[in-house]
């Protein structure tokens, strides 16, 4: 399997594929194309989430930070359980491919 | 942090960085530049290992398959516990960047 080709068509909605599901671990590929969370929405998750951008570009905002972080290919970060965050923006011109590991 | 830049110099030896360590999960970045396992060597691991190639090119061989698999960017696979495997070859010209999730 390849995570970059073929990519599902994400124009109408973000596409999510589960790559692996084991006790305490889920690996997901998420393909975005312009989607973002609605104003005022925050994720507040009981699990930890580690992410890396494989392609594209996105802005991720933490509730405890003043500025959104601009992410590009190779950028990764760990989101602690219950650390509130949101996706402010994803690129409209090229697909953004996220690999996310939910754990714990 | 970015997994693709800067890359450590792997000419003398493969470089391994732990990205995340949680109960039941370790995420590692491995950078190879021409390294391969010695003839006759096989990994035989108690943990499951899910890998994706972020850059470069490698040949991974399973003991239960006749041919090595050629991997390029975006290629991923899951290696079950104790499924014997080895790295036959990695590109000498450009760094090969692996993301590996050891679980269970």
């Amino acid at each position: 399997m390849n995570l970059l080709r073929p990519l599902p068509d994400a124009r109408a909605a973000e596409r999510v594929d589960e790559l692996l599901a084991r006790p305490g671990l889920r690996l997901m590929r998420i393909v975005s194309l312009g989607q973002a969370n609605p104003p005022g929405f925050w994720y507040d998750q009981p699990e930890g989430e580690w992410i890396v951008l494989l392609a594209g570009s996105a802005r991720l905002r933490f509730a405890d930070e003043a500025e959104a972080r601009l992410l590009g290919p190779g950028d990764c970060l760990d989101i602690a359980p219950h650390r509130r965050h949101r996706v402010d923006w994803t690129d409209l011109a090229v697909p953004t491919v996220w690999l996310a590991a939910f754990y714990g």
Side-chain angles (χ1 to χ4, degrees), chain A residues 1-69:
Chain A
M1 182 188 175
N2 189 287
L3 300 185
L4 299 173
R5 58 187 161 76
L7 285 180
D9 184 345
R11 279 175 294 186
E14 211 164 60
R15 301 286 294 265
V16 180
D17 291 287
E18 186 175 86
L19 306 170
L20 189 83
R22 295 291 184 273
L25 174 64
R26 280 176 308 136
L27 295 178
M28 319 285 277
R29 180 187 68 178
I30 301 153
V31 180
S32 314
L33 192 59
Q35 290 86 8
N37 294 130
F41 174 90
W42 296 95
Y43 292 104
D44 184 342
Q45 302 168 163
E47 298 174 296
E49 180 183 0
W50 183 92
I51 59 163
V52 58
L53 235 71
L54 301 179
S57 189
R59 280 202 302 266
L60 187 138
R61 169 93 195 280
F62 286 105
D64 56 16
E65 292 183 350
E67 301 281 335
R69 300 186 188 201

Side-chain angles (χ1 to χ4, degrees), chain A residues 52-59 69-76 89 96-97:
Chain A
V52 58
L53 235 71
L54 301 179
S57 189
R59 280 202 302 266
R69 300 186 188 201
L70 180 63
L71 304 177
D75 284 331
C76 64
W89 170 86
T96 293
V97 183

